[in-house]
Amino acid sequence: MKQVTVIINAREKVVDKDKYSFQEIVELALGKFDSNPNIVYTLTYTKGKKQPSKSLVFGEEVNVKDGMIINVSRTDKS
């Protein structure tokens, strides 16, 4: 795959794989993935400005596209 640019949490990132897992995207966005059960990650993405946002959950993967917009947030339940 050629490199493509995605926008993760308002920052451009160049990626070089076709498919990324939920955990890999969290790591691109926030650094280390925390497996603590009190930590909840929310991940939404859109593949284009006119496309609706979709959610991705742990265990799922998504095919990336140039210009894709991804938002990741981390919440602590405690």
Side-chain angles (χ1 to χ4, degrees), residues 4-67:
V4 297
T5 301
V6 295
I7 311 299
I8 302 177
N9 290 351
R11 294 189 179 135
E12 288 189 355
K13 296 268 185 178
V14 177
V15 297
D16 58 4
K17 293 184 350 181
D18 290 326
K19 193 177 280 193
Y20 279 82
S21 70
F22 177 91
Q23 183 171 336
E24 289 172 320
I25 293 175
V26 169
E27 290 171 349
L28 284 172
L30 305 174
K32 184 181 175 195
F33 182 85
D34 192 339
S35 59
N36 180 331
N38 289 325
I39 303 297
V40 176
Y41 294 99
T42 303
L43 191 158
T44 59
Y45 67 93
T46 182
K47 291 187 177 180
K49 292 180 182 178
K50 296 183 181 182
Q51 300 292 320
S53 291
K54 297 182 180 180
S55 296
L56 195 69
V57 297
F58 186 79
E60 292 183 336
E61 295 181 325
V62 65
N63 291 322
V64 296
K65 176 181 167 186
D66 197 45

